[in-house]
Amino acid sequence: MKPSLQVKSIQVQRIRYVWNIYAKQFQKVGALEDHHTCSAIHAKFGSGLTCNEWNVRKVICGPNTIDVPVIPIWKLLIKEVLNPFYVFQLFSVCLWFAEDYMEYATAIIIMSLLSIFLTVYDLRQQSVKLHRLVESHNNIMVTVCRNKEGDSCFQELESHHLVPGDMLVLKEGKTLLPCDAILISGQCIVNESMLTGESIPVTKTHLPQADNFKPWRMHCAEDYKKHVLFCGTEVIQTKADDTGVVKAVVLRTGFNTAKGDLMRSILYPKPMNFKLYRDALRFLMCLIAFAAIGMIYTVCVFALNGEEAGEVVKKSLDVITIAVPPALPAALTTGIIYTQRRLKKKGIFCISPQRINMCGQLNLICFDKTGTLTEDGLDLWGLLPCERNCFQDIHSFPADHSLPWGPVFRAMAVCHSLIVWEGKIQGDPLDVKMFEATNWVIDDSSGHQIEGQGSTHATVVRPGPKASSAPVEGVAILHQFPFSSALQRMSVIAQEIGGEQQVFTKGAPEMVAMLCRAETVPLNFESKLLLYTAQGFRVIGLACKSLQAGKQSTDLTREEVESDLTFLGLLIMENRLKRETKPVLEELSAARIRSVMVTGDNIQTAVTVAKNAGMISPTNRVILVEANKIPGSFSASITWKPLEKNKPEDYRGLAKAMGLEPRSPRVFTSALPVEDDSPPTTERRIGLALASGQYHFAMSGKSYQIVAQHFRHLLPKLLLNGTVFARMSPGQKSSLVEEFQKLDYFVGMCGDGANDCGALKVAHAGISLSEQEASVASPFTSRTPSIACVPELIREGRAALVTSFCMFKYMALYSTIQYLGVLLLYWQLNAFGNYQFLFQDLAITTVIGVTMSFTGAYPKLVPYRPPSQLISPPLLLSVVLNILFSLSMQVFGFVVVQEQPWYSKTDIHSACLSVNNHVENSSSISSLGLRGMRDGAHGQTDNGYKSYENTTVWLLSTINCLIVALVFSKGRPFRQPIYTNYVFILVLIGQLGVCLFLVFADIDDLYSKMDLVCTPTTWRISMVIMLAVTLAASFLVEEAVIENRPLWLLLKKTFRYHSKSHYKRLQRVLEQDSAWPPLNETFFSDSVAISVEGSMGGHSNPTFDSNEDTL
């Protein structure tokens, strides 16, 4: 009898871990073992798994599904109802029902049910959307190869049965990939827009059969993605090789896949720790402590007066519901909802509303370059051909005469990875522009018989109708070595129909030049390159060589192909700044918000674009930070050089900073454009610029990585003035954002959603300019692909943050005003009547809470941010002073009314009975006696609420609520003036009109219903004067003290208060350090390198490798 195969497993955030009985620990499963070499993958999995191997892997790894079930409504309901806020509301409602306070209790129930319904509906919609996003990949019919006693056989099965190591057979036609897989034979063209946000078809090549001892991923280095087909992407074309089938080995299944990783990043987002929400809890705790004091006071007063125990408990619990406003969270949410709606009108969509308040604190924005600051497409500007190691005359585009036939023309016609898809030429925009300039066409029919190559599926390019005459019928592209960001180049093996095979390479000019024979590279190569990159052009190097006849193109390695090339020339592309880039960056700079460029492009081009865009002022210095590993040791070196001071012989340093190491020692000599300043003048200018802190660091991704590993202590200092980060990989972009956050910056990231996916997720506010689905990784998405959305978002974020603070202050004051009024009346065993509470709670506060947030954002960004925390001196002072004003006014009214000559503790009609000189008229007494008796009887049903104190305190506290609402609804500098919020102003005027009507009206039925009593007109006028004084005092304090920025800055200076932010502290230290930055100096590390591979970046999108950003 066979033993049953069982394993102990746990699931953490949808990833399965299995207990390893030998290692005595849980081990992550669901992916192919990492230790396999390239040849081992071909040998071990090339013919498929046996049934036994499949069974074991199936038990251990589980099903290949990305299962995101739709959450049942009852679960969502329970989770929402158990929110502490709703539990407190339930407690309040039960208490109010016990006290017959039916109306407000019913209103709160309706509002809460509506709020719960909307939240549950929203969550349910999100759940359904996520479920639909993945359900199409969970059950696809696939063909796998099974190894049965040494023979391979094919069988069809559902994709959820796939396990790592299974052999997939990809058929012709479109196929959705249900897992991550390594391509081991043939070639595929894949649409990865689902994961990267870019609908550019990507070419995937098979894993080479390299016979070495390195694991396959290390052997392929950063290029391993070129052999991996990712889950959720669509194979749109397959090209078989000699074996006749396209095969791939399953690499990862379920939530371990690229698609699963994206889903997990949505299901389990990184928690954002924002001071406002922490402070809100502390604030509520303070209010609860405040309420506890009131409870003790209530128990003492009522117990000493011999009240029933039940009544004492009800009254004391009532104090909690008065002191802690149950409507506070709802009021805060409405502010965010209105902001979200305003953003939507401006074409900015938000999937993470709690981050809106964070946008108000942003003080550093990282921008991607291509497609973000500059136009998405590139325009072909010119071609600088090279013959016999000399540059020829430049050929400009668009030109009257077409490009002559020759090696450069052939390179432009074939050195690309374009395909014809749905009748259009598709691929990288740079490749498309280059190919279109030749006027040739792609003939992508199913198969071409190429001499000496057997039957192969080759792409053939032919002269188009508009093309100039060419001596060939066409050129076939036999093999591709796709673009690699690590190698900064791509190559193809092509053959003229009936001619010889040739290699064509294009890529970063410095890299291409290093692969060429020294005698073919012009002597003035560096100066020409610097001339164009310094003007912000995108420059691409072209090279070629002929191959020996009789060699199969598929047998050649990339190293063999890309060596001893002949340099052909430079292709110059123009990447224009977007029209709105410069004004937006100027606006951010004026608002003291730092702008940083994070790009995959050449460092010189990036610096030029940064200068043209206004990120770097013309008077400021750019210092190139260059870090290199020292060969043969574990240490590294770091050098600081002023960029404009690069002498011709220093060009090699510039090449190194671009992430390049020459393969063969070759001397570059040239005359670079150097500044005309004589050295002393230049040195003096540098000195002045550095002394005033007007310098910017620029570094490459390679240097950044080495600094992070070997010079960790220098990284914060470099980031403080780092403005240009070039040749950055997606992982490095994420890491950079996190390093800025460690310095206490509030970081925004604006990119196109593709290679910036990880950074967008990690930043406090990620703004994607892509409408593709990869933008689900970004909290904000802009419909218009322009950075104009950045200041717009900051404006709205600041307005939302200020609105939140206003709402907090108002809610705290409203509950405190009511609390003080009730405690004063408790002294006389009195309280507010139900309709009095209802009027304050519903007609005043609820309406104000809803309309106060309508105020829009102020159109100008001021050079400072709103406070980030509730527990800040100005805010606390504002609340405390307004509480004191309210307390003083209510106590004054409470005491002074008792001193009035017409006041009577027992007879609530005495004020209206007194006539001239306070002579009592008997007929008046007799006529009013009956009314008094009737009112007395009514008074008993009202639990004796009616009294002069009650009327005075209630009217004062109600109008006081309107005063604080007006005073706290500040406009400039972060919100528009209050008079622009017409609804709020009309509401306040309407409420004030009703309140004044209640003060001066003398309508028996109305007063009886509202538990008010008649008072002399003089006393009513006195109350209005008290309110006017309170308004004046409150307004004066708010404007002259609380909102007086110069006063607070003076106080900070007087008490030597300094910001605790890490970057501010570092700035102060560096201001005192005359030796920083150490110009033209080199430091060496002596410490062992810190491994930062694992920390290079949050949620990085595993599929992305953009050649547009790294050429």
Side-chain angles (χ1 to χ4, degrees), residues 320-339:
I320 296 180
T321 66
I322 293 166
V324 183
L328 178 61
L332 286 175
T333 310
T334 54
I336 296 293
I337 289 167
Y338 294 143
T339 308

Side-chain angles (χ1 to χ4, degrees), residues 277-321:
Y277 303 118
R278 279 207 318 269
D279 290 351
L281 283 171
R282 289 178 190 164
F283 208 73
L284 285 172
M285 289 300 135
C286 292
L287 289 175
I288 288 167
F290 203 42
I293 297 165
M295 280 178 74
I296 295 163
Y297 163 84
T298 307
V299 170
C300 294
V301 169
F302 281 90
L304 288 171
N305 281 282
E307 285 286 325
E308 287 178 25
E311 198 61 32
V312 174
V313 170
K314 272 201 284 188
K315 293 285 184 195
S316 54
L317 287 176
D318 213 10
V319 172
I320 296 180
T321 66

Side-chain angles (χ1 to χ4, degrees), residues 216-233:
W216 73 276
R217 200 175 290 196
M218 279 176 68
H219 170 76
C220 302
E222 284 186 33
D223 291 331
Y224 79 91
K225 294 171 190 167
K226 295 295 175 196
H227 313 304
V228 179
L229 305 169
F230 292 100
C231 175
T233 61

